[in-house]
Amino acid sequence: MKRALHIISSGRGERSYSRALGTAIIQKLIGKNEIGTVVERDLSKSPPPLLDEALVGEFYKLPETIDAKGKQLLTYADTIFNEMKEADIIVIGTPMYNFGISGLLKAWIDQLVRVGITYTYNADGTRTGCLLNKKVYLAVASGGRLSYWPEAYEFVESYIKAVFSAYTGITDVCTYRVEGTAEQHVTVNYEEIIQSI
Ligand SMILES: Cc1cc2nc3c(=O)[nH]c(=O)nc-3n(C[C@H](O)[C@H](O)[C@H](O)COP(=O)(O)O)c2cc1C
């Protein structure tokens, strides 16, 4: 059976709609015997370190030139890369914040994407992703609704698809949404939202 990684990036704990939607996806996949193990990474409990000059410097070093201090700085990045490498299915929950993904999720992506690790350059300048044969389920919660805005204001799914396909090799991204969480008397039918799974 396949292995799943559940990324939670809302800090609202049990009250988070994106977390609940991600959990519903995980439960459905377990029910269908598609996944056997789940590793949960709650970014709000252990926030990813923000990039600074020292860490970015380590990102661009050849592996054989990284010393003990560099390895220490790379601990978080190496840990989350290994979690991604070992997962077949990745469920990512994110709130929509100011039209984009949560800051916690952006910080996680900035730690994940690395030349020579998640992608390599070919002789002709094109890139090859290193995280292959993986499927992402994206669980997005928003206070409003996509239909309120011009299509060009969709930055959550489009960003995740762009960054994963360009810099990791993951091209299979399936998006599910809880919309209108800021409306009065919200009741969410998660089963209905994920009925296509
Ligand atoms: C700082 C902030 C920015 C937000 N920006 C948007 C937005 O641009 N569009 C929108 O529809 N909802 C926006 N919301 C509402 C959240 O998307 C909504 O509360 C959602 O349910 C949060 O996800 P969660 O329940 O998983 O925490 C924002 C909320 C906060 C706190």
Side-chain angles (χ1 to χ4, degrees):
M1 262 195 289
K2 292 179 176 171
R3 293 158 298 186
L5 172 64
H6 185 189
I7 305 292
I8 295 159
S9 72
S10 166
R12 298 196 323 117
E14 297 298 322
R15 295 191 308 135
S16 159
Y17 294 100
S18 59
R19 178 194 178 117
L21 182 57
T23 302
I25 293 169
I26 294 274
Q27 290 307 324
K28 185 145 187 191
L29 294 173
I30 291 172
K32 291 177 74 179
N33 287 328
E34 278 193 36
I35 53 178
T37 58
V38 182
V39 171
E40 184 179 288
R41 178 163 282 276
D42 185 337
L43 303 180
S44 71
K45 285 190 181 152
S46 176
L50 295 178
L51 301 191
D52 58 14
E53 194 179 359
L55 181 54
V56 171
E58 300 301 331
F59 277 7
Y60 289 96
K61 282 184 185 165
L62 290 169
E64 59 272 22
T65 66
I66 298 173
D67 62 15
K69 194 174 166 220
K71 285 185 182 140
Q72 181 69 30
L73 288 173
L74 290 167
T75 303
Y76 186 91
D78 287 342
T79 301
I80 64 163
F81 173 73
N82 287 329
E83 286 174 354
M84 284 291 281
K85 201 171 68 173
E86 283 161 21
D88 306 296
I89 290 175
I90 303 110
V91 177
I92 301 176
T94 184
M96 180 188 287
Y97 284 160
N98 302 315
F99 293 124
I101 62 171
S102 77
L104 287 169
L105 185 58
K106 179 62 166 57
W108 177 83
I109 290 170
D110 288 344
Q111 287 272 352
L112 176 71
V113 170
R114 277 192 281 169
V115 65
I117 305 284
T118 59
Y119 69 99
T120 54
Y121 278 109
N122 306 313
D124 63 357
T126 58
R127 289 174 303 271
T128 299
C130 304
L131 292 170
L132 304 176
N133 304 315
K134 298 181 191 297
K135 182 177 180 75
V136 167
Y137 290 90
L138 181 63
V140 187
S142 58
R145 293 177 182 273
L146 280 185
S147 58
Y148 296 170
W149 302 101
E151 269 178 41
Y153 285 19
E154 204 300 303
F155 299 106
V156 176
E157 178 187 45
S158 56
Y159 170 70
I160 292 292
K161 282 186 169 174
V163 75
F164 277 178
S165 74
Y167 295 130
T168 72
I170 297 173
T171 53
D172 189 355
V173 177
C174 211
T175 304
Y176 295 88
R177 297 177 191 273
V178 180
E179 295 187 275
T181 67
E183 294 166 7
Q184 278 187 329
H185 314 301
V186 180
T187 51
V188 181
N189 186 337
Y190 293 100
E191 272 310 304
E192 194 175 299
I193 294 170
I194 61 170
Q195 60 184 317
S196 62
I197 295 178

